[in-house]
C-alpha cells in the first residue's frame, strides 16, 4: 500500500500509512524502509527521507543496505545536493554498486553535471558494460550542453561495443486489443488520422503557450528538425490514437518501457486541458496522472 500510494503521486499519504504501523503493532522490516525511502524520493521529500534513514537503526534496529543507500543517494542527487550524495558514497561501509552509480548518473543528467556524469559512467561501464542506459544517459548530458563531438564518441563506443539502445515503445489497449507505437511510427492502419490529430493538437498547444523542449533531443540538427522529431515521439502517437479511438472524456492509459521524456511530460499537461480528459502514463519509474494542466508527480520523477 505504501509503495502503491507513492507510485501514484501520494507520497505524504504513503508516509502517514507508515507512521500508523507502530501504532498498530506492525514492525517494519528492511523492505518497508526501502519502500518508504522510495516514497520520499518520488515526492521530493528530502528532510523526511533523512529522518527515516536515521530512524532505521535508532528506532527499528535495521542496518542500512545498498538499497537504502541507493535511495538516499538518488533523492539527494535529484534534489541537486550532489556534494552531499557523493559524501555518502565515500562514507558508506561498502563499495558502491551499479544502482548507486546509476543514481548518480541520473542526477548528473538532471543537473547537467558533466564531471559527475563522466565519473559515474566510467564506474558503471566497469560493472555492466553491456547495458545501453549508461551510454545513453551520458550522451544525454553531453547533448544538453551542446557537446556534439562527445555525443558522437558515445555513439561510436556503443557501436564498437555492440551495445544497442533499447528503443522507446508505448502500448495502449483499445477495445481489448493492444496497440504498439515507436517514434515516427506509420505502421498503424489509421496513421493519417493519428498524424492529423497530432497536428491539430500541436496548433492548439502552441496557442496555449507550449514551446517544444528541443534541448532533450539528441540529434545534431536544426531547430525545426528537432521540433519535428519531438512531435512524433511514441507516447504522443499513442495518445493521439487514443483520442480518435476512444469515447470523448474517457481516461487514456498509456504504458511506456522507458522514462517519459521531459517534452512529452510538458505537452501532456497542455493536452489534458485542451481535450478535458485525464491522461495516465505508466513509465519505468511511476504512474503519471495528467489533469487540470498538472501531473501527479509534481514534475519530480
Amino acid at each position: 500500500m505504501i509503495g502503491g500510494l507513492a507510485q501514484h503521486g501520494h507520497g505524504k499519504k504513503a508516509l502517514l500509512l507508515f507512521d500508523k504501523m507502530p501504532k498498530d503493532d506492525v514492525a517494519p522490516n528492511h523492505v518497508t524502509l526501502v519502500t518508504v525511502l522510495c516514497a520520499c524520493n518520488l515526492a521530493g521529500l528530502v528532510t523526511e527521507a533523512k529522518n527515516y534513514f536515521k530512524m532505521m537503526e535508532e528506532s527499528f534496529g535495521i542496518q542500512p543496505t545498498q538499497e537504502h543507500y541507493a535511495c538516499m543517494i538518488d533523492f539527494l542527487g535529484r534534489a541537486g545536493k550532489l556534494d552531499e550524495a557523493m559524501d555518502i558514497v565515500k562514507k558508506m561501509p561498502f563499495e558502491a554498486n551499479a544502482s548507486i552509480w546509476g543514481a548518480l548518473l541520473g542526477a548528473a543528467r538532471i543537473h547537467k553535471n558533466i564531471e559527475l556524469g563522466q565519473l559515474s559512467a566510467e564506474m558503471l561501464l566497469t560493472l555492466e558494460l553491456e547495458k545501453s542506459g549508461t551510454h545513453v544517459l551520458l550522451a544525454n548530458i553531453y547533448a544538453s550542453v551542446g557537446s556534439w563531438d562527445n555525443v558522437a564518441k558515445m555513439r561510436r563506443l556503443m557501436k564498437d561495443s555492440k551495445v544497442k539502445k533499447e528503443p522507446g515503445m508505448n502500448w495502449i489497449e483499445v477495445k481489448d486489443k493492444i496497440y504498439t507505437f515507436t517514434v515516427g511510427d506509420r505502421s498503424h492502419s489509421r496513421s493519417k488520422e493519428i498524424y492529423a490529430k497530432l497536428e491539430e493538437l500541436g496548433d492548439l498547444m502552441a496557442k496555449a503557450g507550449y514551446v517544444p523542449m528541443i534541448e532533450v533531443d539528441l540529434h545534431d540538427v536544426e531547430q525545426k528538425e528537432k521540433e519535428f522529431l519531438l512531435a512524433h515521439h511514441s507516447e504522443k502517437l499513442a495518445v493521439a490514437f487514443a483520442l480518435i479511438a476512444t469515447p470523448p472524456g474517457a481516461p487514456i492509459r498509456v504504458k511506456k518501457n522507458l522514462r517519459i521524456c521531459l517534452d512529452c511530460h510538458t505537452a501532456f499537461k497542455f493536452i489534458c486541458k485542451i481535450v478535458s480528459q485525464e491522461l495516465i502514463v505508466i513509465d519505468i519509474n511511476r504512474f503519471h496522472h495528467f489533469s487540470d494542466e498538472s501531473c501527479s508527480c509534481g514534475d519530480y520523477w
Side-chain angles (χ1 to χ4, degrees), residues 4-5 9 18 45 68 76 103 118 126 139 143 160 186 188-189 200 207-208 221 252 271:
L5 285 166
F18 174 70
L45 303 172
H68 301 108
L76 286 171
Q118 289 174 327
T126 64
D160 294 343
R186 291 184 181 270
H188 198 281
S189 60
E200 176 194 330
K207 290 176 183 176
V221 294
I252 294 170
I271 291 173

Side-chain angles (χ1 to χ4, degrees), residues 269 272-273 277-279 289-296:
K269 290 183 192 177
C272 72
K273 185 177 182 181
Q277 282 178 251
E278 183 183 15
L279 308 179
H289 296 258
F290 296 92
S291 63
D292 299 323
E293 213 170 347
S294 65
C295 179
S296 59

Side-chain angles (χ1 to χ4, degrees), residues 99-114:
S99 295
I100 287 169
W101 287 116
L104 287 169
L105 181 57
R109 179 194 56 79
I110 292 169
H111 300 288
K112 301 179 183 179
N113 188 312
I114 290 180

Side-chain angles (χ1 to χ4, degrees), residues 38-39 62 72 76 110 258:
C38 285
I62 297 171
M72 287 289 291
L76 286 171
I110 292 169
L258 302 174

Side-chain angles (χ1 to χ4, degrees), residues 64-291:
T65 66
Q66 290 263 21
E67 286 180 288
H68 301 108
Y69 277 103
C71 287
M72 287 289 291
I73 290 161
D74 190 32
F75 78 72
L76 286 171
R78 287 173 183 270
K81 300 179 183 294
L82 303 181
D83 290 339
E84 199 172 336
M86 278 303 299
D87 193 48
I88 290 180
V89 173
K90 292 170 185 174
K91 292 179 179 177
M92 286 191 310
F94 28 63
E95 289 293 318
N97 62 8
S99 295
I100 287 169
W101 287 116
L104 287 169
L105 181 57
R109 179 194 56 79
I110 292 169
H111 300 288
K112 301 179 183 179
N113 188 312
I114 290 180
E115 186 180 346
L116 179 60
Q118 289 174 327
L119 171 65
S120 305
E122 182 182 329
M123 299 305 295
L124 275 169
L125 290 173
T126 64
L127 294 169
E128 39 185 40
L129 180 61
E130 75 287 353
K131 290 205 173 179
S132 64
T134 302
H135 303 76
V136 173
L137 279 174
L138 188 53
N140 264 325
I141 297 169
Y142 287 138
S144 69
V145 296
S147 183
W148 297 108
D149 286 345
N150 281 319
V151 172
K153 284 179 185 176
M154 290 307 300
R155 286 180 175 154
R156 281 197 299 273
L157 177 61
M158 289 179 71
K159 186 177 180 180
D160 294 343
S161 305
K162 296 183 179 178
V163 174
K164 291 186 178 180
K165 177 183 179 294
E166 183 180 4
M169 299 180 70
N170 283 265
W171 298 270
I172 185 165
E173 182 178 350
V174 176
K175 295 179 181 177
D176 298 324
K177 187 175 179 181
I178 304 294
Y179 296 87
T180 305
F181 293 89
T182 56
V183 63
D185 200 334
R186 291 184 181 270
S187 62
H188 198 281
S189 60
R190 299 182 69 178
S191 268
K192 285 187 178 179
E193 294 174 80
I194 291 169
Y195 278 84
K197 174 58 75 173
L198 271 183
E199 190 172 342
E200 176 194 330
L201 290 171
D203 291 340
L204 292 171
M205 287 193 295
K207 290 176 183 176
Y210 162 74
V211 178
M213 306 185 75
I214 60 172
E215 64 273 16
V216 306
D217 186 83
L218 284 179
H219 301 87
D220 186 13
V221 294
E222 295 297 322
Q223 179 173 332
K224 285 293 181 185
E225 180 66 12
K226 284 179 179 283
E227 290 178 8
F228 179 82
L229 292 167
L230 286 174
H232 300 152
H233 272 194
S234 54
E235 48 264 66
K236 290 190 182 84
L237 292 171
V239 168
F241 169 63
L243 289 171
I244 64 173
T246 58
I252 294 170
R253 296 177 179 85
V254 175
K255 178 81 190 311
K256 184 174 175 66
N257 65 329
L258 302 174
R259 182 182 181 272
I260 184 173
C261 96
L262 186 57
D263 180 73
C264 289
H265 193 271
T266 303
F268 290 161
K269 290 183 192 177
F270 285 90
I271 291 173
C272 72
K273 185 177 182 181
I274 289 167
V275 302
S276 300
Q277 282 178 251
E278 183 183 15
L279 308 179
I280 303 165
V281 179
I282 306 108
D283 73 0
I284 197 170
N285 285 341
R286 64 187 300 161
F287 287 71
H288 297 265
H289 296 258
F290 296 92
S291 63

